[in-house]
Amino acid sequence: MGLRSIIALLLATIGLVVFLSTLEPFRIFVPGLLGGAWMTVRIAALGSLLAVVFGVASALSALYGPAPLRWLARTYVEIFRGTSALVQLFWLFFVLPDFGISLEPFTVAVLALGLNVGAYGAEVVRAAIQTVPRGQWEAATAVNMTQGQMLRRIILPQAVLTMIPPWGNLFIELLKSTALVSLITISDLSFMAQEMNQTTMKTIDIFTLVLLIYLAISLTITIAMRLLENAASRGLARGRAH
Amino acid sequence: MLWDWGYALEILPVLAKAAIVTIEATFLGFLIAASLGLVFAIMRMSGPLVAGPVTLLVELVRSTPLLIQIFFLYFVLPKFGVTLDAFTAGVLALGLHYATYCSEVYRAGLENIPRGQWEASTALNLSSFTTFKDIILPQAIPPIVPALGNYLVALFKETPLLSAIAVLELMQTAKILGSETFRYVEPITLVGVIFLIMSLVSAVGIRWVERALNRRTAR
Amino acid sequence: MNSSDATPMVRFENVTKRYGSLTVIDGLDLSIGRGEKVAMIGPSGSGKTTVLRMLMTLERIDGGVIWVDGERLTHVERNGRLVPADTNHLRRVRGKIGMVFQHFNLFPHMTALKNCMEAPVTVLGMKKREAEERAAELLAMVGLADKKDHFPSQLSGGQQQRVAIARACAMRPKVMLFDEVTSALDPELVGEVLNVIRKLGAEHDLTMLMVTHQMGFAKEFADRISFFHRGKIEEDGKPADIFGNPKNERTRQFLHAVLDAG
């Protein structure tokens, strides 16, 4: 879908939410849900940041690190991709205190989601680096760069453009996973929805709003990644010349 | 102490029984996902009147959390007179959610079929149904089986979400055990290990299937 | 250390390279003097490009030693024995070598100017302003002063290759390697690149080693021609001798096929 259509869809969704919030059955839910949405956005944003850090660190370690670091990176990826986000979330939430580590639920949430999506992100980073043509490595060697310089100045900047769409998908997955934090008592959008539903049983009204709000956030992420992609490809003018 | 092997061995049979529920949910959910996904894919290839709403539904389901969809089905359907138990509602939600992913996979597979196959079928005056059944699908399905397999594994890993509506699968059982004895380490870690093992086993399985299929359709 | 004129600038001493069971370079002995311009010709797969790549440390060697400017490139002496060189040593010695590639390999996310500035700043620690001035000079030398702020995708093949030459020169190498640098160009763009190479050879006292199919250019420009076949040098000598009076049967066959076919 073109960028313009996505923006149109986002505006339509927001418009629908605004419209519904003026109607009687929906009005009372809106403030609480928006409060929950804010919590969702915060967790998604911080979790995504963490995911990028873990993903890049893990990919670079697995590709270029010394043997123990490579092993650590690969184990991290296997474990966090092989088990589900909820299992990881519950493990960190219920089990860490037994090891003497008490974290705030918010921190646990951000950590668990960041670790989970970061493991998938490691694959994305690795694939993007390996897409950079061999010739770039050779040209950098020919001007006598160290491996670190090659990665930093030549390879990674080119890999970044390839990475953006897959990371966009991962960020949306992370957004959807934030709903899980409602199960460890965090007042995100999903939690507020469940609470309101239990009290009022007005499921359709509440969940319609909830779905629209999630959709709006998801579309915003997609738009942001498209804009990022456009900006990055302008700096990296690609393609062979005539 | 940090890890009680006695307790761990004690709860293993309980978890094993719960694992059966998990596996049942996985396979039923995937059955729905695989069939419904194909239906969605075919509908999206039909005229805009049908394709439009289906695409909208698919996008909506794909962009919103599975957890919300589970709650929605569990609490909303009763209002329309359809009361489902938690297991059924959960499986339906899983099936619907993953049907949208599978429909994308089917779509890619169908688009890979050369136009000529469709045209030859028309020239031979085959009905749409026969065309799909005997010509198109047999060619489209084998290449996409690995992708579908990946979604089977992904679906399996999301079954713990059913614990939110108290389905007695692995995660819910672990939580109950934990809350009874206040020891969470063993139940949750064991659940994690079980998932990890089954995940690695199925990854191997999928690669095996992929190789077997490539051998059959070797070019 | 050893900087008498008699010491070769580059020396391959019994160098061997294998890919699995295939021996691509077989006990090669090759000496290139300071400021000498050598053209390597021969059929595909004869190992000419591999020679350049081994010198540029893009490939490891399986036997023998490569010397650059009087010292070993590929090995160091430790306790009287030769051991493979570590990265630091490799980098120090290969800093004297520059290379231009068949497919240019310009950094696509940088302008022509930045391409030429990047290595001096990052590797040599040169100040940005100084690197920029030098890069602009080099681009002017290759005739692309007006294109310095263009990205590679906005340049023709010939222009990109000229930028690549400027980029290699920015590191002030003593040896320049050219790997079939015109083979990927449309015919009408070949001339401008060859002109730059000529200019380089005339104005600078540079040792140049090139793999080329441009026989006319090799004959006119090179001090020496080496004909490669199956990983060995079959014949080596002055252009007039090689082209005019080849002694070796294979050389004759190759030249016949190449020169008479077009």
Side-chain angles (χ1 to χ4, degrees):
Chain A
M1 277 209 293
L3 184 57
R4 262 173 257 228
S5 342
I6 303 180
I7 296 180
L9 193 56
L10 174 63
L11 293 174
T13 310
I14 297 178
L16 195 53
V17 172
V18 169
F19 170 66
L20 289 176
S21 62
T22 61
L23 300 179
E24 242 342 296
F26 298 96
R27 198 183 304 171
I28 27 160
F29 300 123
V30 172
L33 288 181
L34 286 183
W38 178 232
M39 174 66 83
T40 293
V41 166
R42 279 163 56 210
I43 297 181
L46 287 174
S48 298
L49 204 64
L50 211 59
V52 172
V53 169
F54 282 128
V56 172
S58 173
L60 290 179
S61 305
L63 284 172
Y64 308 115
L69 206 58
R70 284 206 306 269
W71 180 87
L72 188 64
R74 297 216 177 112
T75 311
Y76 156 66
V77 169
E78 280 306 323
I79 292 182
F80 279 88
R81 287 192 348 162
T83 55
S84 66
L86 188 58
V87 173
Q88 294 154 20
L89 189 64
F90 277 163
W91 199 90
L92 288 176
F93 186 69
F94 286 111
V95 176
L96 275 191
D98 284 353
F99 289 100
I101 310 176
S102 346
L103 298 167
E104 294 250 331
F106 184 87
T107 316
V108 171
V110 170
L111 189 61
L113 293 179
L115 284 169
N116 179 266
V117 174
Y120 290 95
E123 258 311 287
V124 168
V125 174
R126 190 195 55 80
I129 289 179
Q130 296 183 325
T131 316
V132 179
R134 259 227 120 232
Q136 292 297 301
W137 291 93
E138 296 186 346
T141 306
V143 292
N144 215 15
M145 289 185 168
T146 66
Q147 189 175 61
Q149 291 163 343
M150 280 187 227
L151 275 172
R152 227 182 350 113
R153 304 287 304 171
I154 309 299
I155 305 299
L156 285 179
Q158 295 183 54
V160 164
L161 184 62
T162 323
M163 274 193 240
I164 295 178
W167 271 113
N169 290 332
L170 287 179
F171 292 151
I172 293 184
E173 284 308 312
L174 199 149
L175 169 70
K176 294 194 285 178
S177 301
T178 59
L180 302 175
V181 309
S182 63
L183 303 175
I184 56 171
T185 74
I186 296 183
S187 309
D188 76 319
L189 181 57
S190 191
F191 181 84
M192 299 306 291
Q194 290 165 57
E195 279 243 310
M196 292 177 176
N197 185 47
Q198 283 203 327
T199 348
T200 69
M201 289 313 278
K202 292 226 177 282
T203 317
I204 301 184
D205 301 337
I206 297 172
F207 280 94
T208 305
L209 281 173
V210 166
L211 288 172
L212 287 175
I213 296 176
Y214 272 115
L215 185 58
I217 305 176
S218 169
L219 290 172
T220 310
I221 295 177
T222 306
I223 293 171
M225 298 310 281
R226 289 279 181 96
L227 292 176
L228 197 62
E229 197 177 354
N230 288 342
S233 61
R234 243 177 291 130
L236 172 115
R238 317 174 94 210
R240 279 287 155 83
H242 11 298
Chain B
M1 61 183 128
L2 231 46
W3 181 268
D4 183 351
W5 277 108
Y7 180 49
L9 289 171
E10 211 182 293
I11 56 176
L12 222 40
V14 183
L15 290 177
K17 266 210 291 186
I20 297 179
V21 177
T22 295
I23 295 178
E24 284 175 353
T26 305
F27 276 110
L28 288 174
F30 189 68
L31 215 61
I32 297 176
S35 351
L36 196 55
L38 184 55
V39 170
F40 283 158
I42 295 178
M43 285 174 89
R44 288 175 80 175
M45 289 175 70
S46 329
L49 227 58
V50 177
V54 173
T55 307
L56 226 56
L57 175 68
V58 165
E59 283 309 314
L60 189 66
V61 171
R62 268 188 352 156
S63 310
T64 52
L66 174 56
L67 188 63
I68 300 291
Q69 292 159 19
I70 292 174
F71 283 130
F72 194 80
L73 284 182
Y74 189 54
F75 290 115
V76 166
L77 286 181
K79 294 183 186 284
F80 292 99
V82 185
T83 319
L84 300 164
D85 66 300
F87 183 82
T88 316
V91 165
L92 276 178
L94 277 172
L96 177 63
H97 192 82
Y98 277 88
T100 60
Y101 294 133
C102 290
S103 88
E104 277 304 295
V105 174
Y106 283 121
R107 207 166 55 85
L110 289 170
E111 274 174 10
N112 259 334
I113 303 294
R115 196 157 242 286
Q117 296 294 304
W118 297 92
E119 295 176 347
S121 307
T122 314
L124 290 169
N125 216 11
L126 300 174
S127 73
S128 278
F129 180 68
T130 318
T131 308
F132 262 107
K133 185 168 76 78
D134 295 329
I135 311 296
I136 303 298
L137 287 182
Q139 293 184 58
I141 305 291
I144 60 169
V145 166
L148 290 178
N150 282 328
Y151 281 124
L152 172 61
V153 177
L155 195 156
F156 162 70
K157 288 194 287 179
E158 293 223 74
T159 54
L161 268 72
L162 267 44
S163 66
I165 51 174
V167 172
L168 281 171
E169 46 72 64
L170 275 169
M171 198 69 236
Q172 180 68 352
T173 310
K175 281 201 318 189
I176 293 177
L177 286 169
S179 65
E180 281 173 0
T181 64
F182 290 106
R183 287 198 67 84
Y184 285 97
V185 185
E186 290 85 3
I188 301 188
T189 308
L190 282 177
V191 167
V193 169
I194 293 176
F195 270 101
L196 193 56
I197 294 177
M198 295 180 80
S199 177
L200 290 173
V201 165
S202 38
V204 171
I206 290 176
R207 237 169 288 152
W208 183 86
V209 168
E210 202 169 354
R211 245 178 294 139
L213 284 171
N214 281 335
R215 253 181 280 129
R216 268 214 301 158
T217 61
R219 291 156 199 255
Chain C
M1 233 173 46
N2 281 349
S3 40
S4 68
D5 279 331
T7 317
M9 190 65 205
V10 171
R11 183 155 79 93
F12 281 70
E13 188 183 347
N14 197 23
V15 172
T16 306
K17 170 84 189 155
R18 277 180 283 270
Y19 286 116
S21 54
L22 183 67
T23 302
V24 175
I25 299 288
D26 194 4
L28 178 70
D29 287 302
L30 173 64
S31 263
I32 303 178
R34 261 150 234 288
E36 202 177 355
K37 327 269 187 253
V38 177
M40 298 191 289
I41 64 174
S44 330
S46 54
K48 333 185 282 297
T49 295
T50 312
V51 168
L52 292 186
R53 291 174 64 85
M54 291 190 297
L55 189 49
M56 195 67 249
T57 72
L58 296 174
E59 309 273 359
R60 304 201 84 102
I61 63 178
D62 295 312
V65 181
I66 300 180
W67 298 72
V68 173
D69 201 9
E71 74 177 308
R72 294 186 190 87
L73 163 71
T74 49
H75 294 78
V76 286
E77 207 172 313
R78 211 155 274 168
N79 303 328
R81 286 175 56 239
L82 279 187
V83 296
D86 58 297
T87 321
N88 286 330
H89 176 88
L90 270 178
R91 284 194 65 235
R92 189 174 56 75
V93 182
R94 83 166 176 221
K96 302 182 186 178
I97 308 175
M99 184 161 174
V100 184
F101 297 86
Q102 182 176 355
H103 294 290
F104 335 135
N105 292 340
L106 289 182
F107 304 136
H109 56 305
M110 298 180 183
T111 59
L113 191 68
K114 290 263 162 63
N115 258 276
C116 297
M117 284 170 62
E118 178 60 32
V121 169
T122 308
V123 178
L124 300 179
M126 203 185 273
K127 293 261 184 311
K128 275 223 174 101
R129 180 162 313 177
E130 193 188 333
E132 192 173 335
E133 278 171 17
R134 177 151 172 75
E137 266 171 39
L138 287 168
L139 286 174
M141 179 191 72
V142 303
L144 289 172
D146 57 333
K147 297 267 191 266
K148 63 182 169 68
D149 292 318
H150 282 62
F151 284 94
S153 62
Q154 298 166 306
L155 302 173
S156 75
Q159 292 167 332
Q160 289 188 55
Q161 196 60 297
R162 287 187 274 153
V163 173
I165 296 176
R167 176 177 67 175
C169 288
M171 295 297 277
R172 295 184 208 259
K174 296 193 175 173
V175 182
M176 277 279 266
L177 309 178
F178 297 87
D179 187 9
E180 297 200 40
V181 299
T182 55
S183 297
L185 296 177
D186 292 335
E188 69 268 17
L189 301 173
V190 167
E192 66 196 51
V193 173
L194 294 182
N195 280 336
V196 168
I197 298 180
R198 259 189 217 104
K199 208 166 162 184
L200 222 60
E203 295 182 23
H204 305 257
D205 191 22
L206 196 56
T207 308
M208 294 161 90
L209 183 55
M210 59 183 65
V211 172
T212 185
H213 292 302
Q214 299 282 336
M215 298 302 161
F217 179 74
K219 188 165 165 195
E220 159 236 318
F221 177 77
D223 299 323
R224 199 170 116 209
I225 310 276
S226 287
F227 172 70
F228 272 76
H229 181 81
R230 298 254 183 100
K232 290 174 114 71
I233 297 181
E234 287 284 337
E235 201 168 339
D236 186 306
K238 296 223 240 314
D241 298 332
I242 300 282
F243 284 100
N245 190 16
K247 296 191 193 64
N248 190 296
E249 179 54 36
R250 284 207 192 92
T251 319
R252 232 173 295 147
Q253 278 179 355
F254 174 73
L255 289 176
H256 179 78
V258 165
L259 292 172
D260 295 345

